[in-house]
Amino acid sequence: MIDRLDAMRVFVVALDEGSLASAGRRLNRSPAAVTRAVAALENHVGVRLLHRTTRRLQLTEAGERYAAVCRRVLTDLDEADLAVAGNRAAPRGVLTVTAPVMFGTRVLRPVVGAFLRAYPAMQVRYLLLNRMTNLVDEGIDVALRIAPLQESNQIAVRIGAVRRVLCASPTYLAGRPPIECLSDLAHHACIGIEPTSPNDIWSFPPAPGGRIARTVRVKPRLMVNTDEAAVSAAVDGEGIVRIFSYKIQREVAVGSLVVLLPADEPPPVPVHLVTLPDRLSLAKVRAFIDFAAARLRANLDDIAARPEDRRCDGDPRDADIPHLREMPRQDAADPLFRSP
């Protein structure tokens, strides 16, 4: 008879490490022992959970579903142990955090590193994904969302806003006709980010005092499928790109990209940290949200406060949007600046 909980832990560690041998090293077990534990688990459930190759492990369809359940079960057991110590116990254990790839790499990753240094007993499972994740099914403690949020029983704390901006390099702009209004874009080389088409339409808010949204038909000469490639191409002078402000923060700061037509930007897009109500009482979740929110606000406020990026038409940049229940905070004032 197998120890199912132990076999589940072995199974999850093998997935996190990417191989049975690496799981054995982390668990201080022989590769044969790890293999036996996973095989016993498969025999117990009656289906194959993993496709094994010499280089990596690949979950079967049944394995994907079972892995999500295992993570939830093991997390709940770990949290039950922590609950015995009370809510004031020092944060420890594994925290699962997810964010869009480029935001997670450029903005949130340094915050995660600082959190780990501040809380030595913590581990972070950091998932960078350009898709909407299911917090319950995927065992996620905290998710960073860049989008207006729908009403839900989830808890969200607003940490800022990002803008969708037009930018180009000084090299590209030199010697070309000036870009003084939206219609000028049709006469310039543009960089498209898939999904796009050879004849793309960029939409913008109505002109001051108007009611009809404005559109510009552009013909991207270069179409790419990643934001990183788009930013790199823009820096190299290939054309104008339309992208979220945080993705070109470094390039604008050093002068390799210039923001264009800031008065014509659409309303900013909110950024939230989101968690589930039953997770908020956990010391590790509360500690991370409190730790990360202040640092992310400072970063996003810095992006939003650039003089060249301020709107000129008097429209509010922080209008209310539908959002999840606001997270209760321990600090006195929470300005919640109105930000994949």
Side-chain angles (χ1 to χ4, degrees):
M1 186 171 181
I2 69 169
D3 182 338
R4 290 174 60 192
L5 291 178
D6 180 72
M8 284 181 176
R9 288 193 186 278
V10 173
F11 175 56
V12 169
V13 170
L15 296 179
D16 291 342
E17 294 295 320
S19 73
L20 298 178
S22 296
R25 287 191 293 271
R26 177 172 163 182
L27 295 170
N28 196 27
R29 302 186 190 186
S30 69
V34 172
T35 300
R36 284 196 299 271
V38 174
L41 197 59
E42 289 179 323
N43 289 335
H44 177 78
V45 298
V47 295
R48 180 176 290 278
L49 302 174
L50 294 170
H51 293 302
R52 302 166 180 79
T53 69
T54 56
R55 293 188 176 182
R56 64 189 180 94
L57 300 176
Q58 183 177 358
L59 285 167
T60 63
E61 183 177 345
E64 289 182 1
R65 296 194 300 269
Y66 194 69
V69 174
C70 286
R71 291 190 189 280
R72 284 206 308 273
V73 169
L74 295 173
T75 297
D76 288 345
L77 286 173
D78 290 341
E79 299 308 340
D81 292 340
L82 291 176
V84 174
N87 290 335
R88 295 190 178 185
R92 64 182 178 90
V94 179
L95 180 77
T96 300
V97 178
T98 186
V101 173
M102 205 161 177
F103 192 99
T105 302
R106 287 197 165 202
V107 184
L108 184 57
R109 207 287 308 155
V111 175
V112 171
F115 176 76
L116 289 172
R117 290 190 293 274
Y119 295 95
M122 284 297 306
Q123 292 177 282
V124 172
R125 178 170 167 254
Y126 194 38
L127 307 178
L128 300 184
L129 303 165
N130 287 331
R131 64 172 175 81
M132 187 66 70
T133 52
N134 186 302
L135 274 63
V136 175
D137 291 346
E138 299 182 59
I140 293 169
D141 295 305
V142 181
L144 187 137
R145 305 282 200 225
I146 305 176
L149 301 177
Q150 302 302 316
E151 291 293 343
S152 162
N153 67 338
Q154 297 176 356
I155 305 296
V157 57
R158 188 161 183 163
I159 57 172
V162 294
R163 299 158 4 256
R164 189 176 294 277
V165 302
L166 296 165
C167 62
S169 70
T171 301
Y172 173 82
L173 297 173
R176 287 184 169 83
I179 302 173
E180 299 176 342
C181 62
L182 292 177
S183 60
D184 293 335
L185 295 174
H187 308 295
H188 281 265
C190 294
I191 300 168
I193 304 174
E194 292 185 352
T196 187
S197 67
N199 294 287
D200 207 1
I201 295 178
W202 288 355
S203 298
F204 297 87
R211 294 185 176 181
I212 300 176
R214 295 170 291 173
T215 60
V216 178
R217 185 178 295 277
V218 298
K219 293 185 177 181
R221 298 198 60 206
L222 175 64
M223 292 170 282
V224 300
N225 69 335
T226 70
D227 295 328
E228 292 90 340
V231 172
S232 176
V235 169
D236 288 344
E238 301 297 339
I240 300 167
V241 68
R242 194 180 194 196
I243 200 164
F244 276 138
S245 53
Y246 71 85
K247 298 178 181 180
I248 47 96
Q249 178 187 12
R250 299 175 186 172
E251 290 74 12
V252 171
V254 300
S256 57
L257 289 177
V258 177
V259 174
L260 307 171
L261 305 177
D264 294 306
E265 292 175 15
V269 181
V271 181
H272 292 85
L273 290 174
V274 179
T275 190
L276 297 169
D278 61 349
R279 294 289 180 202
L280 187 57
S281 61
L282 302 177
K284 66 179 184 180
V285 172
R286 188 62 193 230
F288 179 79
I289 290 177
D290 286 345
F291 186 94
R295 289 159 178 79
L296 292 173
R297 281 197 191 98
N299 192 308
L300 292 173
D301 284 355
D302 179 64
I303 298 173
R306 295 185 186 282
E308 70 271 26
D309 296 343
R310 288 176 182 157
R311 293 177 64 85
C312 303
D313 56 12
D315 289 346
R317 297 186 65 110
D318 59 350
D320 288 336
I321 59 167
H323 60 282
L324 285 69
R325 284 196 292 133
E326 184 177 310
M327 173 180 165
R329 296 183 56 85
Q330 294 172 342
D331 49 333
D334 180 13
L336 291 182
F337 183 83
R338 301 286 179 186
S339 129

